[in-house]
Amino acid sequence: MNVLIVYAHHEPKSFNGALKDIAVAVLTEVGHQVKVSDLYAMNFKAIADRADFKEMLEPDYLKYGIEQRHAYENDALADDIKAEQEKLRWADLLILQFPIYWFSVPAILKGWVDRVFTTGFAYSKGMSYDTGGLKGKRAMLSFTTGDPFDTYAHNGRHGDIDIVLWPIQNGILRFVGFDVLPPFIAWSAARGGQEIRERHLVDYRGRLLALERTEPLFFHLAEDYNESWRLRPGIEARTPGQRTMARDECVSLRNAQVLQLGSSLLAE
Ligand code: FAD
């Protein structure tokens, strides 16, 4: 299997560095091919701007998505973007290795997604989710947190980790077609102490050795939705994003509160 690790940490001696190194060692040891995009070491440009295109349709008014498609179709994307897309074509599995920042990925990794998952290559109209440009490939998050598991439990102060990860696992990885493997999470990597970190390294090794037997997370397929992309009646919402209070319920709750407020004002 070909594995691409996209690694986003500025310090080689960090715990993220250790997780990246162990992944390279274990995967190579069992016969996989591994490439690493070390974003800070590459000084990877995180900002999406006009320098990303060697030629433009409308140089006077940058419409980034339109230029992405045009450049993709005309082989006019910047060389660093093309190189990352080539690695993705090669890869069977993508691992994103990062410390969680503000409930998300560090800016340099978000910039990698913004610039590399171009329209035409990763998604376009009619080419998303089950039919996304990277379908047939698998992806996995491997990340460290500052805070412990309990704060990310379903009733924890930060909220359910599955919901925290929904924008990344669904909104990015699944959107472009990946089968998404359950994440590897090294809780409290900095504050947890040496013993906990050593345990994380052992656990990660186990996860890496079991990769080929690991079932991806569940996402609803296109056929589960109606023409407005809402789950058909009778289809039970089974994902973290869809199981949370549906937007209609939020809106009706808000409307009920507004109505209640209105009627109490009238009664005064
Ligand atoms: P490091 O501090 O680099 O490493 C931790 C320890 O591991 C060090 O003592 C190091 O020496 C040791 N170590 C290195 N290699 C090994 C090894 N082989 N074996 C054993 N030990 C080793 N946290 C949250 O939970 N939620 C957030 O939303 C969040 N947002 C953040 C936003 C920002 C901008 C920042 C800066 C931090 C945020 N954090 C958040 C905290 C952050 O996620 C953690 O600091 C980070 O995950 C720790 O990982 P690290 O690799 O940087 O650890």
Side-chain angles (χ1 to χ4, degrees):
M1 172 165 74
N2 293 341
V3 184
L4 172 62
I5 302 175
V6 176
Y7 162 66
H9 202 291
H10 34 243
E11 174 52 62
K13 296 193 286 295
S14 65
F15 195 61
N16 272 270
L19 290 167
K20 181 261 294 170
D21 290 344
I22 199 171
V24 173
V26 170
L27 294 171
T28 310
E29 196 180 290
V30 295
H32 300 305
Q33 311 299 312
V34 184
K35 290 184 183 177
V36 178
S37 286
D38 181 344
L39 298 184
Y40 286 97
M42 293 156 70
N43 200 16
F44 190 81
K45 174 175 170 284
I47 294 166
D49 63 14
R50 62 184 73 232
D52 294 345
F53 313 115
K54 292 180 184 169
E55 62 168 60
M56 290 181 68
L57 272 176
E58 251 190 281
D60 297 337
Y61 184 159
L62 174 57
K63 293 177 187 143
Y64 193 81
I66 290 170
E67 296 296 346
Q68 266 192 330
R69 171 173 281 280
H70 175 76
Y72 179 71
E73 287 171 353
N74 292 281
D75 195 25
L77 285 166
D79 291 339
D80 62 341
I81 298 175
K82 285 204 295 186
E84 294 306 299
Q85 290 185 340
E86 208 40 56
K87 290 181 208 167
L88 281 166
R89 280 192 196 94
W90 167 87
D92 304 302
L93 169 69
L94 168 70
I95 298 177
L96 300 182
Q97 179 66 58
F98 60 95
I100 194 168
Y101 275 9
W102 294 110
F103 286 26
S104 186
V105 296
I108 198 166
L109 180 51
K110 179 57 167 45
W112 181 86
V113 172
D114 292 348
R115 296 180 63 236
V116 175
F117 287 10
T118 63
T119 176
F121 171 71
Y123 74 97
S124 67
K125 196 165 186 298
M127 187 175 113
S128 61
Y129 292 111
D130 327 7
T131 56
L134 295 161
K135 69 174 182 297
K137 299 176 185 292
R138 302 195 301 166
M140 180 175 96
L141 304 181
S142 170
F143 64 96
T144 56
T145 68
D147 292 324
F149 166 76
D150 279 329
T151 58
Y152 290 99
H154 70 96
N155 57 353
R157 193 166 198 191
H158 290 337
D160 193 326
I161 190 67
D162 289 336
I163 294 171
V164 172
L165 298 181
W166 179 250
I168 311 171
Q169 297 196 135
N170 180 69
I172 298 174
L173 298 175
R174 184 61 191 160
F175 184 79
V176 299
F178 284 110
D179 289 325
V180 185
L181 301 184
F184 177 78
I185 310 176
W187 303 102
S188 280
R191 289 175 228 150
Q194 187 66 7
E195 204 179 312
I196 287 184
R197 285 193 291 273
E198 278 166 17
R199 185 76 241 160
H200 285 322
L201 292 174
V202 172
D203 289 349
Y204 193 37
R205 188 181 166 82
R207 277 295 308 272
L208 292 163
L209 291 173
L211 276 177
E212 283 166 306
R213 305 189 300 278
T214 306
E215 281 294 311
L217 299 172
F218 174 84
F219 292 91
H220 287 283
L221 296 175
E223 67 229 34
D224 287 354
Y225 295 94
N226 67 16
E227 59 290 345
S228 309
W229 293 109
R230 302 192 68 156
L231 287 173
R232 293 181 190 285
I235 303 277
E236 185 198 348
R238 287 176 54 198
T239 69
Q242 287 145 338
R243 269 204 314 265
T244 53
M245 191 188 280
R247 183 177 288 272
D248 280 356
E249 292 172 74
C250 296
V251 169
S252 47
L253 183 69
R254 222 176 297 130
N255 286 347
Q257 286 165 343
V258 170
L259 282 174
Q260 204 182 346
L261 180 68
S263 50
S264 57
L265 284 174
L266 280 174
E268 278 174 11

